[in-house]
Amino acid sequence: MNSPPLQQLQDAITIWQSGVDAVNPLKLILNSVFLNETKSYYEIKIQSLLRNAKSNCLEFYQSIENAPEERNQKEFTQSSLLRDYSVIEPLFPNRRIIVVGMGKASAQMALGIETVLKHLVDLGRLSGWVNIPDDPILFKTPLRSIHLHGARPPQYNEPTEQGVYGSQKIIELIRSAQKDDLIFCLISGGGSALLPLTIPEITLQEKIAITRFLSAAGANITELNVVRKELSLLKGGGIRTLCRNKRLISLILSDVLGDPLDIIASGPTVENQSTPFDALKILQKFGVQNEKTLTNIYAVIKTKAQNCSKVRNLDHQCFGDHSSEKVLADQLSQQKIPLNNQKENDCYSRHYNIIIGNNQTAVLMAAQKAKELGYRPYFHSATKCEGNAETVGQKLLSDSLKLFRQKHFSQETKLFSENESSRAILHSSNNYSFPNANSFKDYNKEKMEPKADLCPFFINDKRSSDIDTEDSINISTNKNDDKLNFLETFPFDCVISGGEPVVQLVTEDKRGKGGRNQQLVLAALINLLKSNEMTVPVFLSAGTDGEDGPTNAAGAFFDRTIFEKIQIAISENQLSPSAFLEQNNAWVFFQMFEALFQTGATGTNVCDLRIVLKEKSSE
């Protein structure tokens, strides 16, 4: 029996919520971190989630019509990358675990660490400091040994003096560690604004000003973070430098498309892969050199670029002939924060960067929920910046309606081509390496090469030059393959999309209130109003963190009921949705029709999740 429109809206919300639940930070930590007790010491084990991912995906495959079980089994056995991976670190007697963190999801991640390591908490061997938004919901997290610090107000995603204070506390805690202490760094979306410690040449207000300027001009998250890393002490590998002679495990919940480790929260535990030259080009692209209020910012980065003699050297940032550790030591000393002097090649130095969840994880689990509810889902997750929110919203609507009308689907069908997410995912497993190359020296690469068009999950190891002391590992259900969608030969009635577009803001005197998801939904709605389309789908777009710009909404939605109310308002009151869109005022527009999607802080953050459901009759 067909679902009535009201039920369909509830289905869309349920599907969205399932995607968010899949990247619940507490669950992810509990499923990947373990404490083992040996005869003489404890050991920390980080267990790969790939086994569960394989099981879940196999079940999903087998539930789809016209997808034979034997074909699925064959596809899984062909993939060498569906394998277990473990990081095991000994924790010697009387040594501590230190936990630091920053991000919207870091409170729940901290709770997961305390839960797993409860016995060490009881023994007083665990302590920590985590910077989070000052949101009452997040502070309900029942922690015993890890201090939560409100580093910025809720709905205010900018650096503050409270964030500076919290960053200094994190530095002090890291520097107190001895060589066999283990440091956990919990990183999630929003971490960049929660870890503000500027270089001496600029002020915090100048950093806020350049971030506001670039955001309003339409800079994407990658461009913003490339600039911010050059203006910060801890971003761009600053924490990694502080922990050079320590044992560091960074658990990362990715909020950046494609999961570039040096961009997520501006890469505090990863050597900076961008340079002052890159930052200078971005400033020039957006005309910062012509802004009188930003002359110092431009001059500082230009000077750094001129002095940069080495580009992307793994052991040096581009600060002339100085190593990153020396520069950081000089700058921290100016702020009266000590940097210990230890041997550079200490044998206890081990650094791991481990991604435990991302946007694609949420998209896949949302698709599973849609299947459970009786829908036939097509799903995709962008792997790079999607571009303008208005364009993304219009194209998502038109492509979804195209899918809903088709009786058959082929790989040649051109969909979501603007960000090329499908193609990027299908071909993204061409380059990979194993965690320890020596232990796999006899493997047959030709035989073991994964089939990009068959493998729904793979592990993407980004290597440093020192393979024994630093690992960058993805243990999430990362980069699911849109090939799953091509197996179906029946019409789709559900589209699930993940990504993160940008909004180019009008001048502040004309600007209203809204966020990228609300802007995206309004653009799709306007496109539908202008068309002769008889079908009005359920359309929902929201940030997985529960925040959409500086508003109290996660996003917005519409269905036929709301659509008809808007049509009446347009005809009777001469309402102009386009005017609201042009003024970045989508929040006010959707508030009038009770179409804001308000969830409150979710405790996680993996970009945005969009649900489009084909309209069904109420009979």
Side-chain angles (χ1 to χ4, degrees), residues 61 71 75 378-379 409-411 422 425-426 451-456 480-488:
Y61 260 112
R71 177 179 178 181
E75 288 168 1
Y378 176 92
F379 54 96
F409 183 72
S410 67
Q411 189 169 348
S422 298
I425 295 173
L426 284 170
K451 304 297 182 182
D453 60 338
L454 297 177
C455 178
N480 57 36
D481 197 326
D482 271 355
K483 186 65 176 180
L484 280 115
N485 302 295
F486 304 142
L487 295 175
E488 303 177 78

Side-chain angles (χ1 to χ4, degrees), residues 96-108:
R96 298 182 299 156
I97 292 181
I98 292 174
V99 180
V100 298
M102 63 295 302
K104 298 176 183 179
S106 297
Q108 287 292 301

Side-chain angles (χ1 to χ4, degrees), residues 540-597:
L540 166 67
S541 180
T544 54
D545 57 355
E547 292 184 357
D548 189 32
T551 76
N552 61 356
F557 59 87
F558 66 81
D559 60 3
R560 177 168 287 279
T561 301
I562 293 169
F563 184 79
E564 290 175 349
K565 288 181 180 179
I566 293 170
Q567 283 182 314
I568 293 171
I570 291 173
S571 61
E572 293 183 353
N573 304 319
Q574 301 300 308
L575 183 73
S576 174
S578 296
F580 286 88
L581 185 73
E582 292 167 1
Q583 296 169 5
N584 308 129
N585 203 19
W587 184 91
V588 173
F589 179 86
F590 286 113
Q591 185 189 43
M592 291 189 294
F593 299 98
E594 298 181 335
L596 290 170
F597 187 51

Side-chain angles (χ1 to χ4, degrees), residues 407-454:
K407 293 184 178 180
H408 299 280
F409 183 72
S410 67
Q411 189 169 348
E412 285 69 38
T413 304
K414 301 298 183 182
L415 295 169
F416 310 105
S417 58
E418 174 144 347
N419 58 55
E420 299 179 346
S421 58
S422 298
R423 298 297 174 187
I425 295 173
L426 284 170
H427 296 92
S428 57
S429 62
N430 292 336
N431 299 309
Y432 69 95
S433 60
F434 291 101
N436 189 332
N438 294 328
S439 63
F440 289 88
K441 60 184 179 181
D442 297 324
Y443 84 102
N444 185 327
K445 184 174 182 180
E446 185 65 30
K447 181 179 179 181
M448 298 285 281
E449 187 73 29
K451 304 297 182 182
D453 60 338
L454 297 177

Side-chain angles (χ1 to χ4, degrees), residues 124 154 217 225 229 245 247 257 361 418 434 463 479 495 616:
N225 284 357
K229 283 188 289 185
N245 309 113
R247 297 155 62 217
L257 303 176
T361 310
E418 174 144 347
F434 291 101
R463 313 301 304 154
K479 302 189 185 303
V495 171
K616 294 183 179 180

Side-chain angles (χ1 to χ4, degrees), residues 14-141:
T14 299
I15 293 167
W16 183 90
Q17 188 62 55
S18 295
V20 172
D21 290 344
V23 286
N24 177 281
L26 176 58
K27 292 179 182 178
L28 291 172
I29 294 293
L30 295 181
N31 287 331
S32 59
V33 182
F34 303 90
L35 178 66
N36 296 326
E37 184 174 3
T38 68
K39 290 183 179 180
S40 57
Y41 62 88
Y42 292 98
E43 64 181 16
I44 304 294
K45 183 177 182 180
I46 314 295
Q47 179 66 49
S48 170
L49 301 180
L50 287 176
R51 177 174 294 173
N52 291 335
K54 178 172 68 174
S55 175
N56 290 340
C57 191
L58 183 58
E59 180 181 346
F60 184 71
Y61 260 112
Q62 294 171 351
S63 68
I64 297 177
E65 299 174 28
N66 302 320
E69 177 178 342
E70 59 271 16
R71 177 179 178 181
N72 298 328
Q73 293 284 5
K74 182 180 179 181
E75 288 168 1
F76 279 110
T77 57
Q78 285 178 334
S79 172
S80 66
L81 296 182
L82 283 173
R83 57 185 172 80
D84 291 327
Y85 183 82
S86 296
V87 173
I88 299 178
E89 279 291 330
L91 189 68
F92 300 111
N94 301 321
R95 291 306 185 183
R96 298 182 299 156
I97 292 181
I98 292 174
V99 180
V100 298
M102 63 295 302
K104 298 176 183 179
S106 297
Q108 287 292 301
M109 294 172 79
L111 178 59
I113 292 293
E114 280 201 0
T115 302
V116 171
L117 308 182
K118 179 179 179 299
H119 189 53
L120 296 178
V121 173
D122 294 340
L123 295 174
R125 294 176 60 183
L126 186 146
S127 60
W129 184 288
V130 173
N131 287 352
I132 63 171
D134 194 5
D135 191 309
I137 295 177
L138 300 179
F139 275 90
K140 291 181 180 179
T141 308

